[in-house]
């Protein structure tokens, strides 16, 4: 709710995948910064609770956890600056949001409830992980970010968006990185889950390919046909 109120006057929803896909750099920076600001305010509230109500060994553990949260916040804030100052990262971010919006609209059950709107933790995870996953020389490249959330909470959409951004970035920067290559390896231990997740992954890849082939217009109306095709194996 804080995210919406922060930018409600401008009519921009920073949790809308399509809004993020179409936003210019200034609006994109403002929207993503608002998400980080909301997380920062939540952390301040937790700091206040720690000081007022937590003591002993619990306070030590809480302090460690809040320090980790502060580090996450810093990485998210830096990611906003990196995405909005690097045209290739910004374009890959927009296109990944367009791909996720598209595959969501293809699902009749999901789309009847409206267009894709990110849950804050999903967008936060994308900001936390996207830049270091896309750029091989990034300072946080050796950090493994684990997305831990209950079944049905939205983990899949979060990591599919990350895969889409990495795949787009590799193709957009192919001349510098010797091509797209394999963007992600996925493995599941349950056969039914493997089938379900393969279908969802395939929908995302097909959306990326439809955008590349021009069947779905990129927000900037530019042609992406020169990029390497998207595939899943």
């Amino acid at each position: 709710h804080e995210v919406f109120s922060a930018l409600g006057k401008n009519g921009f929803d920073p949790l809308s995948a399509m809004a993020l896909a179409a936003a210019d750099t200034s609006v994109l920076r403002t929207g993503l910064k608002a998400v980080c600001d909301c997380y920062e305010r939540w952390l301040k509230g937790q700091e206040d609770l720690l000081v007022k109500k937590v003591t002993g060994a619990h306070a030590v553990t809480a302090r460690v956890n809040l320090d980790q949260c502060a580090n996450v916040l810093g990485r998210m804030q830096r990611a906003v600056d990196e995405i909005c100052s690097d045209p290739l990262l910004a374009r890959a971010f927009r296109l990944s949001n367009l791909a996720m919006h598209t595959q969501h609209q293809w699902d009749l059950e999901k789309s009847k409830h409206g267009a894709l709107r990110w849950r804050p933790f999903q967008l936060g995870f994308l900001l936390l992980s996207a830049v270091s996953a896309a750029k091989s020389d990034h300072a946080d490249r050796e950090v493994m970010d684990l997305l831990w959330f209950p079944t049905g909470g939205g983990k899949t959409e979060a990591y599919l968006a990350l895969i889409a951004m990495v795949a787009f970035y590799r193709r957009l920067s192919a001349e510098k990185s010797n091509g797209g290559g394999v963007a992600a390896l996925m493995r599941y231990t349950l056969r039914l889950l493997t089938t379900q997740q393969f279908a969802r992954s395939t929908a995302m890849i097909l959306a990326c390919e439809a955008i590349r082939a021009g069947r779905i217009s990129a927000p900037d109306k530019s042609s992406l046909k020169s990029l390497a095709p998207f595939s899943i194996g």
Side-chain angles (χ1 to χ4, degrees), residues 159-160 162-164 166-167 170-171 180-187 201 204-205 231-233:
Y159 73 71
L160 288 181
L162 176 61
I163 292 172
V166 171
R170 288 188 178 187
R171 282 158 177 77
V182 176
L185 297 173
M186 299 167 62
R187 182 178 183 273
S201 302
M204 180 272 291
I205 291 295
S231 62
I232 187 170

Side-chain angles (χ1 to χ4, degrees), residues 169-182:
Y169 181 80
R170 288 188 178 187
R171 282 158 177 77
L172 290 169
S173 59
E175 292 182 356
K176 299 178 180 179
S177 61
N178 296 320
V182 176

Side-chain angles (χ1 to χ4, degrees), residues 79-193:
V80 173
D81 290 334
E82 290 170 311
I83 290 171
C84 293
S85 60
D86 184 327
L88 290 184
L89 280 174
R91 196 178 186 200
F93 182 82
R94 292 187 183 98
L95 291 173
S96 67
N97 273 277
L98 178 59
M100 294 305 296
H101 166 82
T102 299
Q103 61 83 34
H104 179 89
Q105 293 304 101
W106 286 344
D107 188 316
L108 298 181
E109 184 62 29
K110 292 179 180 178
S111 62
K112 72 180 183 181
H113 299 294
L116 176 60
R117 297 176 72 253
W118 295 117
R119 296 171 186 177
F121 89 88
Q122 294 172 320
L123 186 55
F125 174 75
L126 186 56
L127 289 176
L128 178 66
S129 308
V131 181
S132 60
K135 304 184 73 171
S136 60
D137 59 349
H138 194 273
D140 295 323
R141 183 72 171 186
E142 299 302 316
V143 177
M144 185 187 75
D145 294 301
L146 174 65
L147 185 58
W148 185 269
F149 211 81
T151 299
K155 296 185 298 296
T156 300
E157 285 78 10
Y159 73 71
L160 288 181
L162 176 61
I163 292 172
M165 179 167 174
V166 171
F168 270 117
Y169 181 80
R170 288 188 178 187
R171 282 158 177 77
L172 290 169
S173 59
E175 292 182 356
K176 299 178 180 179
S177 61
N178 296 320
V182 176
L185 297 173
M186 299 167 62
R187 182 178 183 273
Y188 300 95
T189 55
L190 300 176
R191 182 172 297 177
L192 179 59
L193 184 59

